[in-house]
Amino acid sequence: MGVGLALDLRHGCVDINMGAGGLASERLLQELFLPAFDNVALQSLGDGAVVPMPPGRLVVATDAHVVSPIFFPGGDIGGLSVHGTVNDVAMMGARPLYLSASFILEEGFPLADLKRVVDSMAAACHEAGVSIVTGDTKVVEKGGADGVFITTTGVGMVEESVGIAPDRARPGDRVIVSGPIGEHGAAVLAQRRELGLETALTSDTQPLHGLVAAMLESGVELRCLRDPTRGGVASALNELARASGVGIALDEESIPVGGEVRGVCELLGLDPLYVACEGRLLAICPADGVERLLQNMRAHPKGEGAAIIGEVVEDRDRLLVLHAPWGGSRIVPMLTGEPLPRIC
Amino acid sequence: MKWMDEFRDRDLVVSLLGRIDTACMDRRYRLMEFCGGHTHALYRYSLIEALPEAVEMVHGPGCPVCVLPAGRIDMAIDLVRHRDVVLCTYGDMLRVPGGRGESLFSARASGGEVRMVYSPLDAVDMAERMPDRQVVFFAVGFETTAPATALALDRARALGLRNFTVFCNHVLTVPAMRAIADDGEEAAIDGIIGPGHVTAVIGSEAFAPIATDYRLPVAIAGFEPTDLLAAILVLLHQINAGEARIENAYARAVTAKGNEQAAALMNKVFALRQCFAWRGLGELEASAFKVADEYAGFDAEQRFGMDDLEHADHRACRCAEVLRGQMQPRDCPVFATACTPEHPLGACMVSSEGACAAAFRYEHRPAEVEA
């Protein structure tokens, strides 16, 4: 392919030269990435980005994305790679500001697909009010990766008064989830060709910093926030219980799970509690503020389905315990190396 | 959701639990759920804790991964390592350690072609697409998965495929149930919850000898909370009345005769092995399928001249007693100490349907290990 020609964004493919730092790399940058992620810091094309910072404390988070298939109902790897990191920053109570993005592309990956992914990232950034200010692209030989892998790092600012941390849950606190669980993981799994399922499920992938801001505005003390991505609600709450040295008692009946998610989970033998969400959060707050917090969440479009699902309890063993509607309970443990497909 | 919510209805479950409580006389009831899927469901729906104390659930051997001897896994690994085949199997099989400590996962990590499939027909498709590769389906399971393997064999023959074979490890439910019943006093079981999916294939009449020869009541159950509780209730009624019958408490899926089409297909493509060595239960006569002579060209054991490999179970492991219902998982000396799902010594800890894995997952409170 001649280096002087424009990229063929309709029929062209990623070739190995595009990651070599030469003219082909330059062309990919000028014709694909820069127009999509248009912003001053990026246009300067320095080795790094120089950006202004508002007052407060800095929050940094990073997330790698390898989802398969890269296009799934309700989203794609591009939007997901923005939401994933924006949400990690937001879970610290921070306002996300800037992202970096690094792409690992597989030789032969269609440029039309890459453009779709990049446009979706740009749209997600626009919605979240963040800019991609620096980035990198590498190309590996065919078979060396699966289409495209994207790693994003996010920077945000958190106010001095916010003290959200995984070790702050206390007995008596309440646990809230912001909406129905498992929709991202179930939508991606159902999409797999080999399963041949047809569902109307769509991923819940969305940015949550606006919801977090609304929660902070309620004035209720937020002790812990976590987005239950890989490993789902069960893994996220186990991590919080361990970090805080407490147990968590979940009320099975009050956990919102949609009908289709339950259906897909039944078919595949999965427990929805372990299925990933990409647009939900878990919050732990003191009992006396929980109704006010819930009200604020439900008033926000991204928290309409919020529900109280459990309570923090004293437990030397720091376990997550699920209580059945008919009495009886069971432990919901951390996963032990179960082979889960790539869903984020 | 239709066909699900009505069987998990809180009021119905509470009412059934109440009726079970009322049915309990002044004695203990030891009931075995044969099927690993039932074991899992009993834990998952917190029923073990919700049942009256007088009812003790004893876990049975109905977990295909658990009863497969470690040597058979080694045989499959050798196929991948030394015969350069593409080995297809169900996801559950990948993690199971063989007798040499290796699993199909580790065989794959070191370059072997091991693929996870949801159906053996996917393996047939793969063989069609890759005519220059030998594709082997590593078939495991009771009469639930055997019809799908039978279908794959039949299809491969119809297509005239020369690069598809089955490494057949299908085992049969009734001989295993007889082996448990033969233990008599050792297991001291008062009644059996029969496997729902298996019985949908073989029919509830297949269990008649268990009731007549051993005077053990059998209730066939589905996998929802109300299914299991209804089966437990009818067992208690029979036990209280001193009766021993086959009762179908899963009528929406199970008939007396079963799926005769599936049975006919299995009869066509499979033949009984004279003997098969089960993990935990030992050598049982006429308890497993092999590929029938008419389908010999599709039998991996013949195509690749596979040698039988045997491997003794870990000495400290009490899998055999757990599988026979003579020991609860927590009473095994290595349970949750040397044997955990991450480092399983015995097969019952490997599969999610294994009794030890279920007990570990749902009721084990780990001792404080971190500072």
Side-chain angles (χ1 to χ4, degrees):
Chain A
M1 198 199 297
V3 169
L5 300 173
L7 281 185
D8 181 357
L9 289 177
R10 218 186 283 172
H11 305 295
C13 289
V14 169
D15 77 58
I16 203 86
N17 297 314
M18 290 175 180
L23 283 170
S25 304
E26 169 78 9
R27 203 171 51 196
L28 191 65
L29 185 68
Q30 292 291 349
E31 293 180 32
L32 191 71
F33 291 118
L34 288 185
F37 303 145
D38 188 33
N39 64 74
V40 178
L42 186 64
Q43 295 289 356
S44 73
L45 295 181
D47 275 349
V50 180
V51 292
M53 290 302 284
R57 289 170 300 157
L58 198 62
V59 170
V60 185
T62 193
D63 215 343
H65 300 271
V66 297
V67 62
S68 165
I70 58 174
F71 300 102
F72 47 83
D76 59 60
I77 192 170
L80 187 67
S81 71
V82 172
H83 298 152
T85 297
V86 160
N87 290 345
D88 283 350
V89 172
M91 291 311 119
M92 302 309 295
R95 183 161 69 90
L97 297 168
Y98 310 111
L99 296 185
S100 76
S102 100
F103 295 82
I104 294 171
L105 303 174
E106 183 189 12
E107 186 182 17
F109 184 62
L111 286 174
D113 285 354
L114 181 59
K115 181 158 177 10
R116 252 179 94 187
V117 168
V118 166
D119 287 346
S120 154
M121 287 180 83
C125 284
H126 182 74
E127 189 198 350
V130 298
S131 316
I132 293 176
V133 293
T134 187
D136 185 45
T137 305
K138 297 283 192 307
V139 179
V140 295
E141 311 75 44
K142 190 146 188 69
D146 187 5
V148 53
F149 296 154
I150 306 175
T151 300
T152 53
T153 298
V155 174
M157 297 304 290
V158 60
E159 287 182 23
E160 294 290 347
S161 58
V162 177
I164 297 166
D167 62 356
R168 293 201 56 226
R170 293 291 171 266
D173 287 356
R174 296 293 192 269
V175 182
I176 296 181
V177 69
S178 67
I181 65 169
E183 289 175 2
H184 173 74
V188 173
L189 288 174
Q191 181 73 0
R192 300 254 156 139
R193 223 182 2 189
E194 67 267 26
L195 293 178
L197 291 180
E198 278 178 36
T199 72
L201 270 176
T202 56
S203 165
D204 52 27
T205 179
Q206 60 178 350
L208 293 170
H209 61 289
L211 176 62
V212 172
M215 292 166 73
L216 288 168
E217 271 167 30
S218 73
V220 176
E221 184 192 359
L222 291 179
R223 297 234 164 106
C224 312
L225 279 185
R226 184 146 292 200
D227 58 337
T229 54
R230 191 175 39 180
V233 169
S235 306
L237 289 180
N238 265 299
E239 286 162 12
L240 294 179
R242 286 177 182 216
S244 294
V246 296
I248 294 179
L250 287 180
D251 171 25
E252 189 166 15
E253 251 182 332
S254 62
I255 302 171
V257 191
E260 292 220 49
V261 170
R262 291 170 59 199
V264 168
C265 286
E266 284 297 314
L267 267 176
L268 301 180
L270 299 173
D271 184 340
L273 283 172
Y274 291 93
V275 179
C277 315
E278 290 288 346
R280 303 283 180 246
L281 62 78
L282 294 159
I284 294 181
C285 74
D288 58 12
V290 70
E291 288 301 333
R292 189 149 37 103
L293 183 61
L294 197 63
Q295 222 170 17
N296 267 41
M297 291 178 75
R298 286 182 174 160
H300 191 278
K302 286 170 180 160
E304 282 168 354
I308 302 171
I309 58 170
E311 185 179 341
V312 178
V313 295
E314 277 188 49
D315 182 355
R316 211 175 55 90
D317 297 329
R318 303 176 300 175
L319 295 175
L320 180 60
V321 175
L322 185 74
H323 293 267
W326 39 81
S329 63
R330 66 171 163 100
I331 293 168
V332 183
M334 293 287 274
L335 285 178
T336 49
E338 276 163 52
L340 285 171
R342 283 183 279 134
I343 49 168
C344 55
Chain B
M1 172 169 282
K2 184 101 180 106
W3 297 112
M4 202 158 91
D5 291 339
E6 52 270 60
F7 301 103
R8 295 180 192 176
D9 180 77
R10 180 231 282 253
D11 295 341
L12 205 52
V13 170
V14 170
S15 131
L16 278 164
L17 282 167
R19 288 170 66 190
I20 288 171
D21 199 39
T22 313
C24 282
M25 297 169 67
D26 188 21
R27 56 163 289 177
R28 288 187 65 76
Y29 300 84
R30 275 172 63 83
L31 308 180
M32 173 182 275
E33 82 280 1
F34 180 89
C35 170
H38 282 154
T39 306
H40 190 81
L42 285 168
Y43 277 110
R44 182 180 163 194
Y45 298 118
S46 310
L47 296 177
I48 291 190
E49 207 184 299
L51 280 167
E53 264 197 43
V55 180
E56 184 187 1
M57 299 310 298
V58 183
H59 316 310
C63 153
V65 172
C66 304
V67 295
L68 187 70
R72 306 295 286 186
I73 311 255
D74 291 337
M75 290 166 73
I77 292 172
D78 283 350
L79 270 186
V80 177
R81 282 268 158 77
H82 306 306
R83 309 307 293 257
D84 193 34
V85 307
V86 180
L87 188 89
C88 301
T89 191
Y90 298 120
D92 307 14
M93 293 307 300
L94 301 182
R95 283 176 62 220
V96 187
R100 303 173 300 215
E102 293 173 301
S103 65
L104 287 168
F105 252 150
S106 51
R108 181 163 81 180
S110 55
E113 280 249 30
V114 179
R115 310 260 183 110
M116 184 181 114
V117 291
Y118 291 94
S119 154
L121 290 170
D122 295 343
V124 175
D125 287 347
M126 217 177 280
E128 253 193 300
R129 284 199 311 272
M130 300 192 291
D132 52 340
R133 296 297 305 272
Q134 284 292 330
V135 176
V136 179
F137 180 66
F138 182 17
V140 294
F142 287 87
E143 293 93 334
T144 38
T145 51
T149 305
L151 207 57
L153 281 166
D154 208 39
R155 183 168 162 77
R157 191 166 80 162
L159 291 167
L161 291 181
R162 305 192 63 90
N163 65 328
F164 176 82
T165 50
V166 167
F167 176 31
C168 185
N169 294 278
H170 286 298
V171 288
L172 306 178
T173 310
V174 176
M177 211 177 268
R178 273 185 182 279
I180 303 277
D182 277 332
D183 286 342
E185 287 303 303
E186 300 269 2
I189 290 162
D190 301 308
I192 296 178
I193 299 206
H197 296 151
V198 163
T199 314
V201 176
I202 66 175
S204 56
E205 275 178 6
F207 295 106
I210 305 296
T212 49
D213 298 359
Y214 300 94
R215 301 286 307 152
L216 274 173
V218 179
I220 313 300
F223 295 82
E224 298 294 333
T226 52
D227 289 329
L228 282 158
L229 294 177
I232 289 169
L233 185 62
V234 298
L235 283 179
L236 295 196
H237 286 154
Q238 282 199 47
I239 295 165
N240 289 342
E243 295 169 353
R245 281 178 285 111
I246 309 300
E247 208 150 327
N248 181 2
Y250 193 25
R252 70 182 182 281
V254 168
T255 59
K257 297 265 180 233
N259 182 337
E260 289 169 285
Q261 218 180 339
L265 187 61
M266 289 196 289
N267 279 334
K268 187 167 118 185
V269 309
F270 295 130
L272 279 179
R273 286 179 196 269
Q274 204 173 19
C275 209
F276 190 75
W278 295 51
R279 202 167 184 173
L281 301 183
E283 300 261 345
L284 300 182
E285 277 176 30
S287 67
F289 282 139
K290 61 181 180 183
V291 177
D293 287 344
E294 300 89 278
Y295 287 77
F298 300 91
D299 182 357
E301 287 178 80
Q302 294 189 42
R303 163 96 41 104
F304 299 103
M306 294 169 74
D307 290 325
D308 276 340
L309 295 178
E310 279 178 33
H311 187 87
D313 281 337
H314 195 283
R315 269 182 314 168
C317 206
R318 309 289 284 272
C319 276
E321 282 133 292
V322 172
L323 285 168
R324 287 171 170 266
Q326 296 169 12
M327 181 181 274
Q328 289 285 359
R330 61 179 172 273
D331 297 328
C332 170
V334 290
F335 175 76
T337 53
C339 185
T340 64
E342 272 179 289
H343 299 285
L345 292 183
C348 305
M349 192 57 100
V350 178
S351 163
S352 62
E353 291 191 355
C356 294
F360 187 94
R361 175 172 179 163
Y362 292 123
E363 69 173 19
H364 175 59
R365 293 184 77 87
E368 201 73 17
V369 282
E370 292 159 52

